[in-house]
Amino acid sequence: MTSQTITRYRQKFETELFDRVIPFWLKHSPDEENGGFFNCLDRDGTVYDTRKHIWLQGRETWMFSKLYNDVGQKPEWLHMANLGAKFLREKTIQPDGRVYFSMTADGKPVYLQRKIFSECFYIMALAEYSRATKRPEFLAEARLELQKVWDWAFDWTKVGRPAYEGATPMRMLAVPMILLNLIEEVAGDEIAPYMPKIEDCISQMRLHIHEEVQTVFENVSPNGSLVDNPDGRLLNPGHAIEAGWFLQHWAQRLGRPDLQDIAIQMVRWSHDAGWDQEYGGLYYFLDADGYSPTALEWNMKLWWPHCEAMYAHLLNYSLTGEGEDLKRFEETTTYTFNHFPDPEFGEWYGYLDRYGNVTHRFKGGPYKGCFHVPRALWLCWKKLKAMEFPLE
Amino acid sequence: MTSQTITRYRQKFETELFDRVIPFWLKHSPDEENGGFFNCLDRDGTVYDTRKHIWLQGRETWMFSKLYNDVGQKPEWLHMANLGAKFLREKTIQPDGRVYFSMTADGKPVYLQRKIFSECFYIMALAEYSRATKRPEFLAEARLELQKVWDWAFDWTKVGRPAYEGATPMRMLAVPMILLNLIEEVAGDEIAPYMPKIEDCISQMRLHIHEEVQTVFENVSPNGSLVDNPDGRLLNPGHAIEAGWFLQHWAQRLGRPDLQDIAIQMVRWSHDAGWDQEYGGLYYFLDADGYSPTALEWNMKLWWPHCEAMYAHLLNYSLTGEGEDLKRFEETTTYTFNHFPDPEFGEWYGYLDRYGNVTHRFKGGPYKGCFHVPRALWLCWKKLKAMEFPLE
């Protein structure tokens, strides 16, 4: 990219992030009465469901803490982080460390998943919030919770999911991936005590990366071999791309060129396999052998894989300088900005059909909140700034 | 309809059922080795997942038993029923009466839902199979299992689903609806002992039918009042239409004109609310207040609502003789036959996008098997025969 192009992109991401996305959440999401955020927000910000989804409570708390720590100490950002952290700590977590999936606005439990992800976003939130408030006890809380999640992560019977005799033993990419990201968040500069866990996660993630077929599989056998059923053949290109940049961050931090190369490749393969050559955009799911995935939404184009891909390609390009990575970045960014943003009310639509038509008008729902859009815009903006002024 | 039109339709349903749909399942689904059926079948019948989904094991067993009992005593139909019943009775049911959701081909458990539907299709299968084999002990088994399901049906904590403090108490249309259908299947001519249960189900179903807004709600408060969140606003037009003909069967059987009128209306309202005026076909889900439903697949066109609608409209027309019911029947049947059948390999596709393009090439999957298509074709064919030769 020429320096002019870099500047143009930097401005594009900056404007979108600070003028159109963050203001939407600042204006419509805070629940000043109960703490936490309304996350089910219609196109114009109207609350269409007052219930709170805890993945998104944690993620929004993390996002505003991160902006406060990394971009500038705006009181309104800290206020948002305070609201989220208060609700998270007072309402969402049980004495045993399990965190609910959804609650009423005032914090009565609605549903508890037999999964570990509410807990993961709780950890992420508290770690970053601790830095925003300079209160180390929250980081200690986050680290203690990570210890529990680590214990549960590889045996979900511990969070109440039964293991039946006929179920094929499988590893999910999601687990080592989110743990790697969490360690990045909670470790701060103190990597050393986390090194065994980091290496463990990297080894486990590599079980999913099959160089012989240039494919990242969502689910594999415990030894990494392929499982010949729809679960084993499942590809989730956006997820594999996200895993790619999580791994790349560690490759850079640990100074590991072998991992750098693998992380570059997993982003490239997953993009190329997942890109719809006819209508553009990344499919949500695919089957590695070309069968129709059984999930009804497989051919939809979701906001978050595109968010992840923009940043992953930009990160690749910043490392390789290669035209093919730039091409993927530009292709993804063009599609993304042409389809997802809503210039009228701010924030982005989340769901398009295969052809790129918006299918759901809301900006926030049970799985979409203040997270992937601002995180990707912020990461790209930071990276572009670093490319713009490489000597700083 | 003129008698010529009736005959033309009768032939259309007959050919589709006996020449294109049933042969597909006869050829590709039997598992002669383990009993039961392969239900994950690709477009051409190739097994793409050998696991068995028990809803569909029960439904296919019911379907072949029903054809044997109602259409003709073909040995290959009885053989299919035998295969299914053997697998169901020997593998899928636990000592406490809970029935698995999915199993390996040889009957090792893969997953148990915290719901009651596997059990319901088990009951349906055994009741009809008992008639095919003239073995009353299977009907007794089905009736005993219905007793258990009845006990669980209105309190899902009994099947392991926790009830959290903040969860809005709600009744699901699915429950009284499937119980009504099951009673129709197991009671046979012995209705009297079931009358209290039948009246209870009818009362419960009526809680979902809101005449003041001409809408059938999928979930309502225990007293029938509306719940203002996405669950409470959820419409599932195909489901409400199916509930309509279940209720109509009882209205006819009990000779209740009040119920007949309600059942007619719920089919009409749900069709008119659910029909896509722009591209045709019935939406899968809608929100009663016009918000975007949160389910990603809401605007897709699925085979089964169209199957249910064809029969429900034909049944309405046979009772009312009104042009508006005929118009709905013809509109639905034209859309259905133009989009779902696969003349090359037989059976129907299950999933279309909003515009009517096939999104999933398989004929059988975790939720689609040998059931809605042949059941609707058989019901329509029977009804058309009755209209064709009214004096018989």
Side-chain angles (χ1 to χ4, degrees):
Chain A
M1 281 195 271
T2 65
S3 69
Q4 279 177 322
T5 308
I6 294 171
T7 300
R8 191 168 48 74
Y9 271 119
R10 193 261 303 151
Q11 287 168 339
K12 184 185 188 83
F13 284 90
E14 188 173 298
T15 306
E16 192 65 24
L17 176 61
F18 298 114
D19 295 354
R20 295 187 190 142
V21 170
I22 290 302
F24 180 90
W25 298 103
L26 273 172
K27 184 169 179 191
H28 302 293
S29 72
D31 178 354
E32 298 290 349
E33 188 183 337
N34 300 291
F37 312 106
F38 296 111
N39 61 274
C40 288
L41 301 175
D42 205 7
R43 183 185 171 199
D44 63 359
T46 303
V47 178
Y48 66 88
D49 187 351
T50 59
R51 291 176 297 187
K52 292 170 176 165
H53 296 82
I54 312 308
W55 292 20
L56 305 173
Q57 304 296 312
R59 286 165 157 185
E60 184 161 351
T61 305
W62 174 86
M63 192 70 237
F64 278 104
S65 301
K66 186 64 95 178
L67 290 175
Y68 186 80
N69 293 333
D70 188 83
V71 178
Q73 304 201 338
K74 295 198 181 183
E76 67 265 36
W77 292 350
L78 185 61
H79 174 67
M80 294 292 273
N82 285 334
L83 277 180
K86 179 180 153 70
F87 188 84
L88 283 171
R89 294 186 65 248
E90 291 178 7
K91 302 291 187 182
T92 70
I93 190 160
Q94 300 182 312
D96 63 358
R98 293 298 322 278
V99 174
Y100 289 107
F101 175 74
S102 53
M103 309 194 88
T104 58
D106 62 354
K108 292 194 193 71
V110 171
Y111 194 65
L112 177 73
Q113 284 186 315
R114 298 177 294 179
K115 298 182 178 177
I116 58 165
F117 301 117
S118 293
E119 289 79 359
C120 291
F121 299 119
Y122 183 97
I123 292 167
M124 204 172 162
L126 277 214
E128 197 62 32
Y129 181 65
S130 164
R131 290 178 199 111
T133 51
K134 301 204 180 3
R135 290 180 61 179
E137 66 270 30
F138 297 140
L139 183 59
E141 251 184 81
R143 288 177 173 178
L144 194 67
E145 179 73 3
L146 176 58
Q147 211 40 58
K148 292 184 186 175
V149 168
W150 187 272
D151 177 46
W152 301 332
F154 304 103
D155 178 4
W156 286 20
T157 63
K158 294 180 178 173
V159 290
R161 185 167 291 265
Y164 295 104
E165 187 196 350
T168 313
M170 283 200 299
R171 298 285 181 157
M172 289 168 287
L173 177 61
V175 171
M177 179 179 155
I178 198 155
L179 290 173
L180 263 187
N181 184 237
L182 285 183
I183 295 170
E184 186 180 344
E185 295 292 329
V186 304
D189 296 327
E190 302 158 45
I191 297 183
Y194 288 98
M195 275 314 298
K197 283 193 167 62
I198 294 166
E199 293 294 354
D200 192 359
C201 288
I202 292 172
S203 301
Q204 294 207 41
M205 195 188 277
R206 292 185 71 159
L207 296 177
H208 297 263
I209 305 167
H210 281 248
E211 292 206 56
E212 76 284 7
V213 284
Q214 304 203 339
T215 303
V216 181
F217 291 87
E218 195 67 13
N219 303 299
V220 293
S221 299
N223 68 2
S225 64
L226 300 183
V227 175
D228 187 20
N229 71 26
D231 301 330
R233 295 191 301 259
L234 184 69
L235 310 183
N236 182 333
H239 211 215
I241 288 169
E242 186 181 15
W245 75 254
F246 285 5
L247 188 62
Q248 190 62 269
H249 279 200
W250 280 110
Q252 298 307 311
R253 190 133 174 205
L254 302 174
R256 295 261 297 268
D258 59 322
L259 286 186
Q260 171 172 318
D261 288 350
I262 290 170
I264 288 170
Q265 294 302 338
M266 60 193 284
V267 170
R268 289 176 173 174
W269 301 335
S270 301
H271 177 93
D272 296 353
W275 193 261
D276 180 347
Q277 294 300 331
E278 206 169 343
Y279 296 99
L282 288 163
Y283 289 118
Y284 191 13
F285 298 121
L286 290 168
D287 178 290
D289 288 353
Y291 293 100
S292 297
T294 53
L296 300 201
E297 64 272 27
W298 76 269
N299 74 1
M300 291 179 69
K301 312 291 167 69
L302 273 64
W303 85 106
W304 69 261
H306 297 83
C307 290
E308 300 308 313
M310 286 194 301
Y311 176 61
H313 296 314
L314 183 62
L315 180 59
N316 271 5
Y317 176 66
S318 76
L319 294 166
T320 67
E322 289 198 23
E324 62 166 309
D325 295 313
L326 179 58
K327 184 170 168 294
R328 290 186 188 92
F329 169 72
E330 293 194 316
E331 177 177 58
T332 308
T333 304
T334 301
Y335 182 90
T336 303
F337 275 82
N338 281 346
H339 288 85
F340 290 103
D342 175 11
E344 191 171 347
F345 292 101
E347 242 293 315
W348 291 11
Y349 298 110
Y351 305 92
L352 315 177
D353 63 24
R354 185 181 171 195
Y355 316 101
N357 305 304
V358 173
T359 55
H360 294 67
R361 72 182 195 205
F362 56 70
K363 302 294 175 48
Y367 296 94
K368 180 177 186 290
C370 178
F371 186 59
H372 287 98
V373 177
R375 181 175 74 169
L377 294 172
W378 165 70
L379 285 167
C380 289
W381 174 71
K382 247 173 97 101
K383 180 57 69 187
L384 288 159
K385 276 206 304 181
M387 292 162 74
E388 208 173 2
F389 307 107
L391 298 181
E392 266 186 25
Chain B
M1 281 196 271
T2 64
S3 69
Q4 280 177 319
T5 307
I6 294 172
T7 300
R8 190 170 48 75
Y9 272 118
R10 194 261 301 150
Q11 287 168 339
K12 185 184 187 81
F13 284 89
E14 188 174 297
T15 307
E16 192 66 23
L17 176 61
F18 297 114
D19 296 353
R20 295 187 190 142
V21 169
I22 290 301
F24 180 89
W25 299 102
L26 272 173
K27 183 168 178 193
H28 301 294
S29 73
D31 179 354
E32 299 290 349
E33 188 183 336
N34 300 292
F37 312 105
F38 296 111
N39 61 273
C40 288
L41 300 176
D42 205 6
R43 185 187 170 198
D44 63 0
T46 303
V47 178
Y48 66 87
D49 188 351
T50 58
R51 291 177 296 187
K52 291 169 177 167
H53 297 82
I54 312 307
W55 292 20
L56 305 174
Q57 304 297 312
R59 287 164 157 185
E60 185 161 352
T61 305
W62 174 86
M63 191 70 239
F64 278 103
S65 300
K66 186 64 94 178
L67 290 175
Y68 185 82
N69 293 333
D70 189 82
V71 179
Q73 303 201 339
K74 295 200 182 183
E76 66 265 36
W77 293 349
L78 185 60
H79 175 66
M80 294 292 273
N82 285 334
L83 277 179
K86 180 180 153 70
F87 188 84
L88 283 170
R89 295 186 64 250
E90 291 178 6
K91 303 290 188 181
T92 70
I93 190 160
Q94 298 181 284
D96 63 359
R98 294 299 321 281
V99 174
Y100 289 106
F101 174 73
S102 53
M103 309 194 88
T104 57
D106 61 353
K108 292 194 194 71
V110 171
Y111 194 66
L112 177 75
Q113 284 187 315
R114 298 177 295 180
K115 298 181 177 176
I116 57 164
F117 302 116
S118 294
E119 289 80 359
C120 291
F121 300 118
Y122 182 96
I123 292 166
M124 203 172 164
L126 278 214
E128 197 63 32
Y129 181 66
S130 163
R131 290 179 198 109
T133 52
K134 303 203 182 356
R135 290 181 59 178
E137 67 269 30
F138 297 140
L139 183 59
E141 250 185 81
R143 287 176 174 179
L144 194 69
E145 178 73 4
L146 176 59
Q147 213 35 62
K148 292 184 186 176
V149 167
W150 187 272
D151 178 48
W152 301 333
F154 304 105
D155 177 4
W156 285 19
T157 63
K158 294 180 178 172
V159 290
R161 186 166 291 266
Y164 294 104
E165 186 195 351
T168 313
M170 284 201 298
R171 298 285 183 159
M172 289 168 286
L173 177 61
V175 171
M177 178 180 157
I178 197 154
L179 290 172
L180 263 187
N181 183 236
L182 284 184
I183 295 169
E184 186 180 344
E185 296 292 330
V186 305
D189 297 327
E190 303 157 45
I191 297 185
Y194 288 99
M195 274 316 296
K197 284 192 166 63
I198 294 167
E199 293 295 355
D200 193 359
C201 287
I202 291 172
S203 302
Q204 294 207 40
M205 196 189 274
R206 293 186 70 157
L207 297 176
H208 297 264
I209 305 168
H210 281 249
E211 293 206 55
E212 75 284 9
V213 285
Q214 304 203 339
T215 303
V216 182
F217 290 87
E218 194 67 14
N219 304 298
V220 294
S221 299
N223 67 2
S225 65
L226 299 183
V227 176
D228 186 20
N229 69 27
D231 301 329
R233 296 191 300 260
L234 184 69
L235 310 183
N236 181 334
H239 212 212
I241 288 169
E242 187 181 13
W245 75 252
F246 285 5
L247 187 62
Q248 191 62 267
H249 279 199
W250 281 109
Q252 296 308 312
R253 188 131 177 207
L254 302 175
R256 294 262 297 269
D258 59 323
L259 287 186
Q260 170 173 317
D261 289 348
I262 291 170
I264 288 170
Q265 294 302 338
M266 61 193 284
V267 169
R268 289 175 173 175
W269 301 336
S270 301
H271 177 93
D272 295 354
W275 192 260
D276 181 347
Q277 294 299 332
E278 205 168 343
Y279 297 98
L282 289 162
Y283 289 118
Y284 190 14
F285 299 121
L286 289 168
D287 178 291
D289 287 355
Y291 292 100
S292 297
T294 53
L296 300 201
E297 64 272 26
W298 75 271
N299 74 0
M300 291 178 69
K301 312 290 167 65
L302 273 63
W303 84 107
W304 69 261
H306 297 82
C307 290
E308 300 308 313
M310 287 193 302
Y311 176 62
H313 296 314
L314 183 63
L315 180 59
N316 271 5
Y317 176 66
S318 76
L319 295 164
T320 68
E322 290 200 22
E324 63 166 308
D325 295 314
L326 179 58
K327 184 171 168 293
R328 291 186 188 92
F329 169 72
E330 294 193 315
E331 175 177 60
T332 307
T333 304
T334 300
Y335 182 90
T336 302
F337 275 81
N338 281 345
H339 288 85
F340 290 103
D342 175 11
E344 190 171 348
F345 292 101
E347 241 294 314
W348 291 13
Y349 298 110
Y351 306 92
L352 315 177
D353 63 26
R354 186 184 169 193
Y355 315 102
N357 304 305
V358 173
T359 56
H360 295 66
R361 71 182 194 203
F362 55 72
K363 301 294 173 47
Y367 295 94
K368 180 177 187 291
C370 177
F371 186 60
H372 286 98
V373 177
R375 180 175 75 170
L377 293 173
W378 164 70
L379 285 166
C380 289
W381 173 72
K382 245 171 100 98
K383 180 58 66 188
L384 288 159
K385 277 207 303 181
M387 293 161 73
E388 209 173 359
F389 306 107
L391 299 183
E392 270 186 26

